[in-house]
Amino acid sequence: EEGLAQVANDPHRRGIAMDYRELLLAIARQRNDRGQIIKQARSLWLSRGAVEHYDLMVAAVPPDEWATFRTRLLSEPRLSPAMVAWAYAREGMWPQVRDIVFASPGFFAPYQLEMEARYPDETAKLYERLARKMLKDVSNRPTYQEAAGFLARMQELGHGDAGKAVARALIEQHPPRRALIGGLRRVLSRRRPPVSYTHLTLPTSDPASIPVGAGSFKKKNKTNDTDS
Protein backbone atom coordinates (compact mmCIF):
# COMPACT_ATOMS: atom_id res chain seq x y z
CA GLU A 1 0.00 0.00 0.00
CA GLU A 2 2.86 2.36 0.82
CA GLY A 3 4.47 1.58 -2.52
CA LEU A 4 1.18 2.24 -4.33
CA ALA A 5 0.90 5.59 -2.60
CA GLN A 6 4.40 6.56 -3.67
CA VAL A 7 3.76 5.57 -7.27
CA ALA A 8 0.40 7.38 -7.27
CA ASN A 9 2.16 10.59 -6.21
CA ASP A 10 4.47 10.35 -9.20
CA PRO A 11 2.66 11.99 -12.15
CA HIS A 12 4.64 9.85 -14.60
CA ARG A 13 3.62 6.58 -12.92
CA ARG A 14 0.24 7.45 -11.47
CA GLY A 15 -1.64 5.62 -14.20
CA ILE A 16 0.24 2.42 -13.37
CA ALA A 17 -0.86 2.65 -9.74
CA MET A 18 -4.48 3.18 -10.73
CA ASP A 19 -4.41 0.27 -13.16
CA TYR A 20 -3.01 -1.91 -10.39
CA ARG A 21 -5.82 -0.81 -8.10
CA GLU A 22 -8.29 -1.75 -10.81
CA LEU A 23 -6.75 -5.23 -10.80
CA LEU A 24 -6.99 -5.43 -7.00
CA LEU A 25 -10.63 -4.34 -7.23
CA ALA A 26 -11.40 -7.02 -9.82
CA ILE A 27 -9.82 -9.69 -7.58
CA ALA A 28 -11.78 -8.41 -4.57
CA ARG A 29 -15.01 -8.61 -6.52
CA GLN A 30 -14.25 -12.17 -7.61
CA ARG A 31 -13.65 -13.10 -3.98
CA ASN A 32 -16.59 -11.05 -2.75
CA ASP A 33 -14.21 -9.34 -0.33
CA ARG A 34 -16.37 -6.42 0.76
CA GLY A 35 -13.64 -4.66 2.71
CA GLN A 36 -11.25 -4.63 -0.24
CA ILE A 37 -14.01 -3.66 -2.66
CA ILE A 38 -14.75 -0.59 -0.55
CA LYS A 39 -11.08 0.26 -0.10
CA GLN A 40 -10.11 0.00 -3.76
CA ALA A 41 -13.31 1.55 -5.11
CA ARG A 42 -12.89 4.49 -2.73
CA SER A 43 -9.29 5.10 -3.79
CA LEU A 44 -10.20 4.84 -7.47
CA TRP A 45 -13.19 7.15 -7.19
CA LEU A 46 -11.14 9.79 -5.39
CA SER A 47 -8.57 9.57 -8.17
CA ARG A 48 -10.73 9.05 -11.25
CA GLY A 49 -14.26 10.08 -10.32
CA ALA A 50 -15.91 7.21 -12.20
CA VAL A 51 -19.57 6.39 -11.64
CA GLU A 52 -18.78 2.68 -11.45
CA HIS A 53 -16.51 3.10 -8.43
CA TYR A 54 -19.01 5.28 -6.57
CA ASP A 55 -21.81 2.80 -7.16
CA LEU A 56 -19.60 -0.06 -5.98
CA MET A 57 -19.11 1.76 -2.70
CA VAL A 58 -22.86 2.34 -2.36
CA ALA A 59 -23.50 -1.37 -2.93
CA ALA A 60 -20.72 -2.63 -0.64
CA VAL A 61 -21.14 -0.37 2.39
CA PRO A 62 -23.97 -1.54 4.69
CA PRO A 63 -26.99 0.77 4.31
CA ASP A 64 -26.98 1.80 7.96
CA GLU A 65 -23.34 2.85 7.66
CA TRP A 66 -23.54 4.63 4.32
CA ALA A 67 -24.46 8.11 5.57
CA THR A 68 -21.44 8.23 7.90
CA PHE A 69 -19.17 6.75 5.23
CA ARG A 70 -20.39 9.27 2.65
CA THR A 71 -19.80 12.21 4.99
CA ARG A 72 -16.19 11.14 5.53
CA LEU A 73 -15.73 10.43 1.83
CA LEU A 74 -17.01 13.83 0.70
CA SER A 75 -14.89 15.59 3.32
CA GLU A 76 -11.69 14.47 1.60
CA PRO A 77 -9.57 17.59 0.98
CA ARG A 78 -8.54 16.38 -2.48
CA LEU A 79 -12.13 16.38 -3.76
CA SER A 80 -13.16 19.29 -5.97
CA PRO A 81 -16.50 21.02 -5.35
CA ALA A 82 -17.63 19.65 -8.72
CA MET A 83 -17.20 16.05 -7.54
CA VAL A 84 -18.87 16.75 -4.20
CA ALA A 85 -21.84 18.37 -5.95
CA TRP A 86 -22.06 15.41 -8.33
CA ALA A 87 -22.15 12.94 -5.44
CA TYR A 88 -24.86 14.87 -3.63
CA ALA A 89 -26.88 15.04 -6.84
CA ARG A 90 -26.41 11.31 -7.34
CA GLU A 91 -27.95 10.83 -3.89
CA GLY A 92 -30.76 13.32 -4.54
CA MET A 93 -29.44 15.66 -1.82
CA TRP A 94 -30.42 18.84 -3.64
CA PRO A 95 -30.08 21.35 -0.76
CA GLN A 96 -26.40 20.42 -0.54
CA VAL A 97 -26.01 20.73 -4.32
CA ARG A 98 -27.68 24.14 -4.16
CA ASP A 99 -25.31 25.37 -1.46
CA ILE A 100 -22.26 24.39 -3.53
CA VAL A 101 -23.32 25.66 -6.94
CA PHE A 102 -24.84 28.90 -5.68
CA ALA A 103 -21.64 29.68 -3.78
CA SER A 104 -19.51 28.80 -6.83
CA PRO A 105 -21.57 29.45 -10.00
CA GLY A 106 -18.82 27.97 -12.15
CA PHE A 107 -20.21 24.56 -11.10
CA PHE A 108 -23.83 25.51 -11.82
CA ALA A 109 -24.30 24.46 -15.45
CA PRO A 110 -24.93 20.69 -15.04
CA TYR A 111 -27.63 21.38 -12.44
CA GLN A 112 -29.33 24.39 -13.98
CA LEU A 113 -32.72 22.83 -14.67
CA GLU A 114 -32.85 21.10 -11.30
CA MET A 115 -32.05 24.35 -9.52
CA GLU A 116 -34.65 26.25 -11.54
CA ALA A 117 -37.31 23.64 -10.80
CA ARG A 118 -36.52 23.21 -7.10
CA TYR A 119 -35.35 26.70 -6.13
CA PRO A 120 -36.79 29.15 -8.67
CA ASP A 121 -36.65 32.23 -6.42
CA GLU A 122 -33.06 31.67 -5.34
CA THR A 123 -32.03 30.84 -8.90
CA ALA A 124 -33.61 34.04 -10.21
CA LYS A 125 -31.66 36.05 -7.64
CA LEU A 126 -28.49 34.27 -8.73
CA TYR A 127 -29.18 35.19 -12.36
CA GLU A 128 -29.69 38.83 -11.42
CA ARG A 129 -26.45 38.89 -9.45
CA LEU A 130 -24.52 37.24 -12.27
CA ALA A 131 -25.91 39.58 -14.93
CA ARG A 132 -24.98 42.66 -12.93
CA LYS A 133 -21.53 41.32 -12.16
CA MET A 134 -20.82 40.32 -15.75
CA LEU A 135 -21.66 43.75 -17.10
CA LYS A 136 -19.78 45.70 -14.48
CA ASP A 137 -16.34 45.56 -16.10
CA VAL A 138 -16.85 43.65 -19.37
CA SER A 139 -17.69 45.12 -22.76
CA ASN A 140 -17.94 42.42 -25.42
CA ARG A 141 -20.88 40.99 -27.36
CA PRO A 142 -20.79 37.39 -26.00
CA THR A 143 -20.88 38.67 -22.44
CA TYR A 144 -23.75 41.04 -23.25
CA GLN A 145 -25.72 38.19 -24.76
CA GLU A 146 -25.08 35.88 -21.83
CA ALA A 147 -26.09 38.54 -19.31
CA ALA A 148 -29.29 39.21 -21.26
CA GLY A 149 -29.90 35.46 -21.28
CA PHE A 150 -29.75 35.37 -17.49
CA LEU A 151 -32.36 38.13 -17.30
CA ALA A 152 -34.58 36.27 -19.78
CA ARG A 153 -34.36 33.14 -17.62
CA MET A 154 -35.60 35.21 -14.68
CA GLN A 155 -38.79 35.84 -16.62
CA GLU A 156 -39.27 32.12 -17.17
CA LEU A 157 -38.96 31.61 -13.41
CA GLY A 158 -41.71 34.11 -12.67
CA HIS A 159 -39.41 37.04 -11.92
CA GLY A 160 -39.89 38.89 -15.18
CA ASP A 161 -40.60 42.23 -13.54
CA ALA A 162 -37.34 42.08 -11.59
CA GLY A 163 -35.43 41.03 -14.69
CA LYS A 164 -36.92 43.87 -16.72
CA ALA A 165 -36.13 46.36 -13.97
CA VAL A 166 -32.50 45.26 -14.08
CA ALA A 167 -32.50 45.53 -17.88
CA ARG A 168 -33.87 49.09 -17.73
CA ALA A 169 -31.29 50.09 -15.13
CA LEU A 170 -28.47 48.64 -17.20
CA ILE A 171 -29.70 50.43 -20.34
CA GLU A 172 -29.52 53.71 -18.43
CA GLN A 173 -26.05 52.91 -17.09
CA HIS A 174 -24.56 51.89 -20.44
CA PRO A 175 -26.28 53.91 -23.20
CA PRO A 176 -23.33 53.81 -25.67
CA ARG A 177 -23.14 50.01 -25.79
CA ARG A 178 -25.37 49.17 -28.74
CA ALA A 179 -24.81 45.39 -28.63
CA LEU A 180 -25.74 45.38 -24.95
CA ILE A 181 -28.77 47.60 -25.45
CA GLY A 182 -30.09 45.33 -28.22
CA GLY A 183 -29.92 42.27 -25.98
CA LEU A 184 -31.54 44.05 -23.04
CA ARG A 185 -34.35 45.43 -25.18
CA ARG A 186 -35.16 41.91 -26.29
CA VAL A 187 -35.52 41.03 -22.60
CA LEU A 188 -37.94 43.94 -22.14
CA SER A 189 -40.05 42.82 -25.12
CA ARG A 190 -40.37 39.18 -24.05
CA ARG A 191 -43.61 37.67 -22.89
CA ARG A 192 -43.29 35.03 -20.26
CA PRO A 193 -43.44 31.53 -21.83
CA PRO A 194 -44.68 28.48 -19.95
CA VAL A 195 -41.99 26.75 -17.92
CA SER A 196 -41.42 23.07 -18.68
CA TYR A 197 -39.02 20.72 -16.92
CA THR A 198 -39.74 17.54 -18.85
CA HIS A 199 -36.07 16.68 -19.32
CA LEU A 200 -34.90 16.67 -15.69
CA THR A 201 -32.53 13.78 -15.03
CA LEU A 202 -30.11 12.79 -12.32
CA PRO A 203 -26.49 13.22 -13.37
CA THR A 204 -25.24 9.87 -14.64
CA SER A 205 -21.98 10.88 -16.30
CA ASP A 206 -18.69 10.68 -14.47
CA PRO A 207 -18.19 13.74 -12.28
CA ALA A 208 -14.70 14.07 -13.70
CA SER A 209 -16.24 14.68 -17.13
CA ILE A 210 -18.40 17.62 -16.03
CA PRO A 211 -17.11 20.77 -17.75
CA VAL A 212 -16.32 22.88 -14.71
CA GLY A 213 -17.07 26.53 -15.29
CA ALA A 214 -17.85 25.91 -18.94
CA GLY A 215 -21.62 26.30 -18.86
CA SER A 216 -23.57 28.97 -20.65
CA PHE A 217 -27.23 29.56 -19.99
CA LYS A 218 -27.88 32.13 -22.70
CA LYS A 219 -29.92 31.73 -25.84
CA LYS A 220 -27.69 32.99 -28.60
CA ASN A 221 -29.18 35.82 -30.59
CA LYS A 222 -27.92 36.80 -34.00
CA THR A 223 -27.47 40.51 -34.25
CA ASN A 224 -25.66 42.99 -36.40
CA ASP A 225 -25.26 45.45 -33.54
CA THR A 226 -21.75 46.60 -32.78
CA ASP A 227 -20.39 48.56 -29.88
CA SER A 228 -19.58 52.15 -30.48
Side-chain angles (χ1 to χ4, degrees):
E1 193 67 31
E2 182 179 348
L4 272 176
Q6 291 177 351
V7 173
N9 290 329
D10 183 343
H12 300 291
R13 296 188 294 168
R14 185 170 178 272
I16 297 174
M18 293 300 99
D19 289 344
Y20 186 61
R21 285 201 183 277
E22 290 281 11
L23 178 60
L24 293 177
L25 175 60
I27 294 172
R29 295 180 71 181
Q30 289 177 351
R31 296 176 176 176
N32 199 26
D33 185 337
R34 191 178 69 184
Q36 278 298 311
I37 291 173
I38 295 171
K39 179 179 180 179
Q40 302 305 332
R42 179 183 183 278
S43 181
L44 286 162
W45 186 73
L46 290 172
S47 298
R48 291 181 167 173
V51 175
E52 175 190 6
H53 300 136
Y54 190 88
D55 288 348
L56 281 173
M57 288 186 287
V58 174
V61 175
D64 60 341
E65 299 175 15
W66 174 246
T68 300
F69 180 92
R70 181 185 59 218
T71 298
R72 291 199 305 267
L73 175 69
L74 300 184
S75 298
E76 278 284 333
R78 75 180 98 168
L79 278 182
S80 69
M83 288 183 67
V84 177
W86 177 90
Y88 281 137
R90 186 79 169 171
E91 303 269 345
M93 299 172 68
W94 296 108
Q96 289 83 349
V97 177
R98 175 200 59 198
D99 292 345
I100 293 173
V101 301
F102 279 25
S104 302
F107 305 118
F108 182 83
Y111 312 104
Q112 180 191 7
L113 291 182
E114 287 285 358
M115 294 299 101
E116 288 185 347
R118 296 172 185 276
Y119 310 106
D121 295 341
E122 293 173 78
T123 303
K125 291 178 181 177
L126 173 66
Y127 289 164
E128 177 179 350
R129 188 173 79 245
L130 290 176
R132 289 184 181 276
K133 183 177 180 180
M134 291 170 67
L135 295 175
K136 184 177 180 180
D137 301 311
V138 179
S139 58
N140 60 73
R141 187 192 303 274
T143 302
Y144 294 161
Q145 292 179 336
E146 187 161 10
F150 282 134
L151 299 180
R153 300 293 292 189
M154 289 177 63
Q155 187 172 8
E156 296 182 14
L157 296 177
H159 290 259
D161 289 343
K164 290 180 178 181
V166 174
R168 292 190 190 97
L170 291 172
I171 288 174
E172 293 177 1
Q173 291 174 25
H174 309 287
R177 302 183 186 180
R178 286 189 292 169
L180 168 62
I181 300 307
L184 294 177
R185 283 177 176 164
R186 279 188 285 273
V187 173
L188 293 175
S189 66
R190 284 171 58 93
R191 293 183 178 179
R192 182 185 174 189
V195 180
S196 175
Y197 297 103
T198 57
H199 302 294
L200 291 182
T201 57
L202 289 173
T204 55
S205 60
D206 292 354
S209 70
I210 293 175
V212 176
S216 175
F217 320 121
K218 65 178 179 295
K219 294 180 180 178
K220 295 183 179 179
N221 296 310
K222 294 182 179 180
T223 176
N224 294 323
D225 290 342
T226 57
D227 290 346
S228 55

